[in-house]
Amino acid sequence: MAPAVNIPALFGSDVFNEATMASRLDSKTFDAWKQCIENGTSLPLDVANEIAVAMKQWAIEKGATHYTHWFQPMTGITAEKHDCFITPADDGTVIMEFSGKELVRGEPDASSFPSGGLRATFEARGYTAWDPTSFAFVRDGSLYIPTCFFSYTGEALDKKTPLLRSIDEVSREAVRILRLFGDQETHRVIPCVGAEQEYFLLPKDLYAQREDLRLTGRTLFGAQPPKGQELDDHYFGTIRGRVSRFMQDLDEQLWRLGVLSKTKHNEAAPCQHELAPIYTAANNACDTNQLMMQVMKKCAAKHSLVCLLHEKPFAGVNGSGKHNNWSLSTDSGKNLFSPGQTPAQNARFLLFLTAFIHGIDEYQEFLRCSIAGAGNDHRLGANEAPPAIVSIFLGDELTAVVESIIHSTNYEGPCKSLMRIGVDVLPPIPKDTTDRNRTSPLAFTGNKFEFRMVGSSQSIAGPNIVLNTIMAEILARYADELEKATDFEDALHSLICRSLTAHERIIFNGNGYAKQWEEEAARRGLSNRKSTPESLSAYTMPKNIALFKKHGIFTENEFHARYEIYLEAYCKIINIEARTSVDMALRQILPAATAYCAALTHGIVDKSAVGLSCKAETALAQKLSCAADKLLEACEALETMLGNVPADKQTAAEYYHNTVCAQMAALRSYADTLEKYTDKKYWPYPTYSDLLYY
């Protein structure tokens, strides 16, 4: 029996966190670091030197020999370059050194990372800068230092830098609003996030036999097995021993790294699972989600498993998402999306709620754009994830409050009252009085919004940058108006009524999967961008460019660069998938099917020679031969299409979606037909039955 795990002692033991810093730094250095964090100021070099010495010593005691600036380039995953602590001494030996300069700044080669035209290939300089708000940690013999990544010209080449900018912006504007409600104590408002992570686990040996899984992360071919997820027997079911051991190991590794891993369970599809953390400050949540995905993959390999994070590894069963729970909290821990128990708290809540509704409606296209990707195209709108139409679910109780405000009617809630918004007359608003809506892209869940459109493999930085910036913009407009008001209560009431009336169309509590909702959304004028190429065009909308420039989240060049990067990534992904499809079809599927067909025809000849019926074999051979011919034709057509991709990136992305993906689907249909009719011993790779029910 394994020894019991002391979670409090284990948690954060490999993290150079605040408690460790307090115990290893002198009070002056520690206080200087705290001031830097609280005020957002830069760290003096002498303070950085003191921290670096303590950090190095702690890391060496943990077995570290190297350090790395850990950053998040525009690839959507993390990057790292490891340097050893060793420095040569005069006597031919070495000493272990690490300076404040090395802690604060690094210079990895940036030439091969996506830049969207911000730099030429030959311009290699890129810099990393320590993010002191995110704790360093030790992993696999190296000290990992979370950093921002930017070019020689100072332009952001990563996802962390704009995220930090958006966090500062929404804090600044939220504090302005709080001052209007008499709150003089709050100095910062912190976006908080909890990202529930879905994933699949497969045996490593079966995974290794599938070229499509190895090269693209998903199965490009596969006939449907006799059983899928119809019985719902996997969802919340008993966790298999092998998987349970992986999950236990994963939890312990994450706890050591200070990741708040809380919940684990089986998901709806066979071999699908979920891990949910406790939600925390957005910057840390984004860092730890990236770390979580890395640790999951490495831990799975240790257990002879493979962790698949692709949004749709298997056709016919649910894909994987990442529910992004988002809220705003003050530096004293007050949740600004909690309805509260007093009229003053409720009035504040309604203003923040109204700002959110207003912002999502106005910038719905860009929020949809923030989670666009080739993998997510398979999920959204597929009756297993929210539709591509952005809407907000409030629940019946809160919707009744909103409607009573809009129409100046009595609110039939816990107490009957005309919904006149002011600090003295608003009745209490109950919490959690409604069910959840799993078909909604944005569901209010009592004190936060659950953004359900994010894909399982995606960085959560992008959507949280958008949520933060949208909220900052609307709060800024509201603060501008309310700060000029002579009667705050009248101005507040007028503002909320006017905004809710103008943006009520984004609120929808019904079934997002229903065809009727798509029709209703069109009547309301809501956006319905069904594909990644269509979604990414939101980067060219003037209002979106203006939004992010105004708040200093992106320069216009940085904004346009991301448009170029995401278009190019989409095109490359589909190109790789198409080439892999052709390769598997010609070199694996076609030989297997024709070999079996040849065996059948030999049998037909032998049976015919002795006068036996060959009706079954003849019919089967005919089906195989016909499907094989169509497979070859589909391969040739796909290869021709890949040779005719337009040069313009937006046009190319549309071509890949409309033409190449459609041809890949046709090719797959012939391949899956051949799988159904080919003897299993001839088939070249594990089938869905093998993979999902190992």
Side-chain angles (χ1 to χ4, degrees):
M1 184 175 178
V5 178
N6 184 343
I7 298 177
L10 185 70
F11 190 83
S13 57
D14 287 343
V15 183
F16 196 70
N17 53 27
E18 186 170 337
T20 303
M21 294 174 78
S23 67
R24 287 180 173 262
L25 300 174
D26 61 55
S27 59
K28 182 180 176 182
T29 303
F30 180 75
D31 290 343
W33 171 79
K34 286 282 286 184
Q35 287 295 315
C36 165
I37 301 302
E38 291 170 3
N39 301 329
T41 55
S42 59
L43 203 65
L45 185 57
D46 60 332
V47 175
N49 278 325
E50 293 291 332
I51 295 174
V53 169
M55 191 183 288
K56 176 205 71 177
Q57 188 56 43
W58 170 83
I60 289 172
E61 291 170 13
K62 290 283 181 182
T65 56
H66 290 67
Y67 68 93
T68 179
H69 277 198
W70 186 61
F71 57 101
Q72 301 173 31
M74 297 303 299
T75 56
I77 56 177
T78 60
E80 55 199 60
K81 182 186 81 169
H82 299 254
D83 289 298
C84 190
F85 288 123
I86 63 171
T87 300
D90 294 337
D91 60 359
T93 61
V94 295
I95 57 175
M96 305 291 270
E97 283 192 345
F98 182 56
S99 68
K101 183 179 178 182
E102 291 168 318
L103 167 63
V104 171
R105 185 161 169 161
E107 187 185 341
D109 185 339
S111 60
S112 296
F113 290 110
S115 71
L118 287 176
R119 57 195 297 108
T121 303
F122 62 84
E123 295 174 323
R125 284 192 185 274
Y127 298 98
T128 49
W130 178 37
D131 170 16
T133 65
S134 188
F135 297 127
F137 55 92
V138 167
R139 180 170 173 240
D140 298 331
S142 284
L143 171 66
Y144 282 71
I145 303 161
T147 57
C148 298
F149 181 48
F150 52 94
S151 72
Y152 181 74
T153 55
E155 290 162 311
L157 296 173
D158 68 342
K159 292 178 177 287
K160 178 184 274 282
T161 302
L163 176 65
L164 292 172
R165 293 169 181 170
S166 73
I167 289 169
D168 286 343
E169 275 296 288
V170 74
S171 174
R172 182 180 302 109
E173 302 304 340
V175 168
R176 287 178 66 193
I177 294 292
L178 293 179
R179 293 290 182 265
L180 293 167
F181 283 92
D183 182 345
Q184 302 298 322
E185 298 175 356
T186 298
H187 299 290
R188 282 189 66 79
V189 168
I190 303 143
C192 292
V193 172
E196 304 165 23
Q197 180 72 56
E198 294 177 340
Y199 61 98
F200 281 81
L201 286 177
L202 296 181
K204 189 189 295 185
D205 57 338
L206 297 181
Y207 166 88
Q209 297 173 55
R210 297 266 329 200
E211 183 182 352
D212 48 4
L213 282 175
R214 288 186 284 108
L215 298 186
T216 73
R218 75 179 182 100
T219 54
L220 301 173
F221 302 107
Q224 291 302 303
K227 178 187 176 186
Q229 61 186 63
E230 302 90 339
L231 299 179
D232 298 319
D233 51 343
H234 190 259
Y235 190 53
F236 280 24
T238 302
I239 300 170
R240 286 182 287 187
R242 186 176 181 181
V243 173
S244 182
R245 289 188 291 274
F246 156 80
M247 288 180 168
Q248 182 179 356
D249 190 2
L250 175 63
D251 273 340
E252 292 180 16
Q253 290 190 46
L254 292 175
W255 291 333
R256 293 182 72 92
L257 294 167
V259 179
L260 293 161
S261 175
K262 175 76 171 176
T263 303
K264 57 187 180 183
H265 61 83
N266 288 347
E267 255 298 335
C271 296
Q272 188 185 35
H273 313 280
E274 181 178 301
L275 185 156
I278 299 170
Y279 84 132
T280 185
N283 183 34
N284 301 108
C286 292
D287 282 357
T288 55
N289 184 255
Q290 289 286 349
L291 186 57
M292 180 190 298
M293 291 191 288
Q294 289 181 3
V295 175
M296 287 168 114
K297 289 188 172 185
K298 197 156 191 175
C299 185
K302 179 180 169 184
H303 293 266
S304 296
L305 296 167
V306 172
C307 176
L308 298 180
L309 295 174
H310 193 284
E311 284 74 19
K312 192 73 171 179
F314 304 99
V317 297
N318 277 12
S320 297
K322 182 148 46 188
H323 299 166
N324 187 91
N325 294 280
W326 181 90
S327 188
L328 294 175
S329 293
T330 68
D331 47 15
S332 60
K334 297 174 184 174
N335 188 326
L336 298 177
F337 282 102
S338 179
Q341 297 299 317
T342 67
Q345 289 173 340
N346 283 348
R348 183 188 67 191
F349 160 72
L350 281 175
L351 184 63
F352 277 90
L353 177 70
T354 301
F356 187 85
I357 292 168
H358 181 162
I360 298 302
D361 183 34
E362 186 168 337
Y363 294 101
Q364 57 186 276
E365 298 94 348
F366 203 79
L367 185 61
R368 165 68 178 93
C369 171
S370 74
I371 49 80
N376 227 8
D377 278 359
H378 297 285
R379 271 182 74 239
L380 299 180
N383 285 5
E384 63 181 60
I389 305 163
V390 174
S391 65
I392 296 173
F393 168 82
L394 293 181
D396 295 339
E397 191 78 53
L398 203 49
T399 299
V401 171
V402 168
E403 289 179 350
S404 66
I405 293 170
I406 292 171
H407 302 295
S408 297
T409 56
N410 281 341
Y411 164 58
E412 303 287 346
C415 53
K416 186 174 181 178
S417 173
L418 184 66
M419 292 299 285
R420 171 74 188 177
I421 300 160
V423 295
D424 296 321
V425 296
L426 193 66
I429 299 171
K431 177 183 172 183
D432 278 351
T433 59
T434 186
D435 203 351
R436 292 194 179 192
N437 186 336
R438 66 182 299 272
T439 73
S440 175
L442 268 165
F444 184 71
T445 58
N447 61 2
K448 58 186 179 294
F449 281 92
E450 184 179 45
F451 185 34
R452 301 173 59 91
M453 297 177 81
V454 187
S456 53
S457 69
Q458 295 176 327
S459 165
I460 61 172
N464 285 296
I465 290 168
V466 177
L467 289 171
N468 294 343
T469 307
I470 287 173
M471 197 67 180
E473 168 63 15
I474 306 304
L475 291 177
R477 293 185 203 173
Y478 288 4
D480 288 344
E481 180 174 336
L482 294 173
E483 285 169 352
K484 297 173 185 174
T486 54
D487 187 321
F488 176 69
E489 289 186 22
D490 279 349
L492 178 65
H493 181 79
S494 173
L495 172 61
I496 291 179
C497 287
R498 188 171 69 249
S499 294
L500 288 177
T501 301
H503 301 286
E504 183 184 16
R505 66 174 185 166
I506 201 75
I507 300 170
F508 177 66
N509 291 341
N511 180 9
Y513 294 166
K515 181 67 175 176
Q516 292 86 343
W517 165 233
E518 190 171 334
E519 296 165 355
E520 169 64 20
R523 285 193 292 271
R524 294 187 186 190
L526 298 180
S527 173
N528 185 8
R529 301 187 175 215
K530 297 182 179 181
S531 71
T532 292
E534 191 179 3
S535 298
L536 290 178
S537 63
Y539 270 99
T540 63
M541 296 173 68
K543 72 173 184 179
N544 295 331
I545 298 171
L547 170 71
F548 288 92
K549 280 181 64 180
K550 172 185 174 182
H551 291 278
I553 311 303
F554 298 115
T555 64
E556 190 161 348
N557 283 343
E558 288 172 339
F559 196 70
H560 184 75
R562 278 148 180 80
Y563 172 57
E564 294 284 326
I565 287 168
Y566 295 138
L567 277 176
E568 186 174 26
Y570 177 82
C571 293
K572 286 180 176 178
I573 288 169
I574 303 301
N575 184 266
I576 291 169
E577 289 186 349
R579 287 162 53 201
T580 303
S581 294
V582 170
D583 191 63
M584 290 180 69
L586 293 180
R587 298 176 62 236
Q588 296 182 43
I589 297 171
L590 195 58
T594 54
Y596 179 50
C597 189
L600 284 173
T601 55
H602 286 307
I604 291 169
V605 171
D606 292 341
K607 289 181 70 176
S608 298
V610 294
L612 296 177
S613 170
C614 304
K615 185 176 180 180
E617 293 93 330
T618 301
L620 187 54
Q622 183 62 39
K623 289 180 179 179
L624 285 165
S625 183
C626 182
D629 289 344
K630 290 180 178 178
L631 182 83
L632 181 59
E633 291 172 7
C635 282
E636 291 171 344
L638 185 53
E639 286 183 306
T640 300
M641 290 172 184
L642 292 175
N644 294 320
V645 177
D648 175 72
K649 286 181 182 172
Q650 178 68 47
T651 308
E654 292 166 359
Y655 177 84
Y656 273 114
H657 178 265
N658 298 328
T659 304
V660 174
C661 287
Q663 186 60 26
M664 286 172 60
L667 175 58
R668 177 174 186 154
S669 68
Y670 303 132
D672 291 355
T673 297
L674 288 171
E675 181 184 328
K676 290 177 183 177
Y677 293 124
T678 301
D679 188 334
K680 185 171 175 58
K681 70 180 180 182
Y682 285 85
W683 201 246
Y685 49 72
T687 64
Y688 271 24
S689 292
D690 299 325
L691 294 167
L692 295 174
Y693 298 98
Y694 62 88

